[in-house]
Structures are given as C-alpha cells and as structure tokens.
Amino acid sequence: FTTSLLLGTTMTISSNHWIMAWAGLEINTLAILPMISKSHHPRAIEAATKYFLTQATGSALLLFSSMINAWQTGQWDITQLTNPTSCLILTSAIAMKLGLVPFHFWFPEVLQGAPLTTGLLLSTLMKFPPITLLYMTSPSLNPTVLTFMAILSTALGGWMGLNQTQIRKILAFSSISHLRWMTIIISYNPKLTLVNFYLYALMTTATFLTLNSTKASKLSTLMTTWTKAPALNAALLLTLLSLAGLPPLTGFLPKWLIIQELTKQDMA
C-alpha cells in the first residue's frame, strides 16, 4: 500500500496529461482506504466510506472538467486549462479533495476515525498531489472564487476547532485553516503556496509522531503525558505554537511572506 501511495503521488505530480494525473489520484485513494479501515472498528469503516465517496466525487469532477477543456480546446495538457467552466469545476474538485470549505465536512470525521499514522498521511502526503495540480493550473484559476473559499476556511477552521476535545479533530481544523493561506496566494505567487505546504507538512509530521509515541488522542490525556516524556512534550509545545504561527517560530515565516505578497496585491 505504501508503494502504491508513492506511485500514485509521483504519477500525479510528474504528469502533464489530465488522465495520468487522474489515474495517480485514484491509485492514491485506493491505497489509503485499507490503511484507514485497518482496525475493523465501525468508526474506521465509516471514515473509510466517507473518504472513498468524497474522493471519488472529486476525481469524477476533475475528469469532467478536463473533458470539457479537451472538448473545447482539443488538448489534454494540464497547464493549458483555458475554459472558464473547466476552471470552476476543477477548483471545486480540488477543494473537495483537499477538504477546503465548503467541501470540508468529511475531513475532521475521517481523521478522527483513522489511526494516527494514517491521519498523518491524510494530512500531508495525500494533500500534495491536489496542491500540485492547483500549482500547475494556477494562472487559469479564478482568484475571486479562491479568495472566497480561503475566507470561509479561515472562519470555519478557527471557530470549529475551538470547542473540540479530540486532538485529531483539532488538527483537522488546523489543516483547514492552513489551507486558506495556500489557496489565497496561489493565483499571485504559487511558489509561496509550496513553501507554506512544505513547512505545514513538516510541523504536522512532528506533531503526529509525538502524539503517536505518547499515545495521546484527547486533550485530557495530553495534559498528563508530560510526566512520561518531559523533553518530548516541550518540543510538542513549541511545534504546536509554530503550527499556530507565533512570530519567533518557523510557522510564522510563510504567513509573513504571504501577508507581504497580499499587501503588494492590495488584498490585505
């Protein structure tokens, strides 16, 4: 399954043809499903079903958008997405695959039902192919739609994460609000989106691996784990503050650069 995951990701990020990109996304989805439902717990099965249905819908929309574009322009090149309808459908498809508002409903539920290591894959590796597709099509996308989605993601990711006690759900809403930085800047400076994603993936990996080693899944258990591994918990505290984007830490860097770029564009 790990080999299939790597194969699917590599296929999507290195393809120039829409069908190859779609095939890579499908391989990815099929490879992660057994990992989500590994525990045979009803919650895990439910999470796998939700994940499958959303990803299948997203892939179908992606294929539909590329078909409309090919029908209008006569070519299947990813970078030549010129049809406005195709651009709109593609934005919806990728928003669905990433878990951007208003297509975010599945993500916290799936992350809560999956094991921590699978949750880590869902939050980082599985988001890389859709973000790459966004990066490749960024000149054609509608900045107004992306800005609208980003603002909604900000509001929802922040508010919904406040009243959660499950750490995985909090991290899911954190992921949704991090995506807003990536989507709002992709039309103006796509490289900043990639920088933001790499740093987000690094910090999320550190958080998930720490939680996995301390076996903490609720906030109440996290409060008592510092006695077992004080150094690890101190590092986790710094990682979480960095994930929040506190100024002296790494997580502040992409936000600073993005705000600077948005100011140049008269957006901020």
Side-chain angles (χ1 to χ4, degrees), residues 10-265:
T10 314
M11 264 177 77
T12 304
I13 63 177
S14 58
S15 61
N16 232 348
H17 195 285
W18 277 115
I19 298 291
M20 283 290 282
W22 170 79
L25 289 168
E26 286 298 297
I27 292 170
N28 253 3
T29 303
L30 292 174
I32 198 111
L33 284 173
M35 291 183 177
I36 299 172
S37 55
K38 192 168 56 180
S39 63
H40 299 296
H41 190 273
R43 182 145 201 155
I45 306 296
E46 183 191 342
T49 311
K50 282 178 180 171
Y51 185 76
F52 173 71
L53 291 173
T54 15
Q55 295 299 311
T57 314
S59 292
L61 280 174
L62 185 121
L63 203 56
F64 183 49
S65 123
S66 54
M67 277 167 66
I68 291 175
N69 191 59
W71 187 28
Q72 295 287 334
T73 61
Q75 44 76 39
W76 288 87
D77 196 334
I78 291 179
T79 52
Q80 305 297 318
L81 192 75
T82 49
N83 187 277
T85 316
S86 291
C87 292
L88 208 59
I89 297 171
L90 179 85
T91 311
S92 312
I94 291 183
M96 201 173 278
K97 285 203 156 285
L98 287 171
L100 258 173
V101 179
F103 309 105
H104 66 284
F105 303 102
W106 63 274
F107 191 56
E109 297 295 321
V110 169
L111 212 62
Q112 183 55 39
L116 275 169
T117 39
T118 312
L120 167 60
L121 286 174
L122 284 170
S123 301
T124 55
L125 187 71
M126 298 303 286
K127 299 210 164 174
F128 190 41
I131 280 180
T132 313
L133 288 177
L134 262 189
Y135 178 82
M136 287 196 277
T137 54
S138 57
S140 328
L141 300 175
N142 186 337
T144 318
V145 174
L146 291 172
T147 308
F148 180 64
M149 280 181 170
I151 292 166
L152 281 177
S153 299
T154 307
L156 194 125
W159 285 331
M160 294 288 282
L162 282 176
N163 60 349
Q164 301 296 333
T165 54
Q166 298 287 342
I167 296 172
R168 274 171 293 187
K169 276 198 173 173
I170 295 173
L171 285 168
F173 288 115
S174 149
S175 179
I176 290 169
S177 45
H178 268 84
L179 280 168
R180 62 115 184 299
W181 293 100
M182 300 178 214
T183 42
I184 203 163
I185 200 68
I186 193 117
S187 303
Y188 308 110
N189 193 337
K191 284 193 175 68
L192 276 182
T193 295
L194 290 187
V195 169
N196 195 332
F197 179 72
Y198 295 146
L199 286 173
Y200 161 74
L202 192 71
M203 293 182 292
T204 305
T205 304
T207 309
F208 269 103
L209 292 178
T210 309
L211 293 172
N212 200 28
S213 70
T214 54
K215 298 283 177 284
S217 61
K218 289 193 191 77
L219 283 178
S220 50
T221 48
L222 191 64
M223 288 171 195
T224 54
T225 50
W226 69 271
T227 47
K228 284 188 262 177
L232 193 61
N233 268 52
L236 177 65
L237 169 71
L238 284 173
T239 312
L240 289 173
L241 288 174
S242 181
L243 206 54
L246 216 69
L249 300 162
T250 322
F252 178 63
L253 175 73
K255 295 185 179 182
W256 182 24
L257 293 171
I258 287 171
I259 290 169
Q260 199 176 10
E261 186 64 35
L262 287 176
T263 314
K264 283 180 196 167
Q265 303 288 342

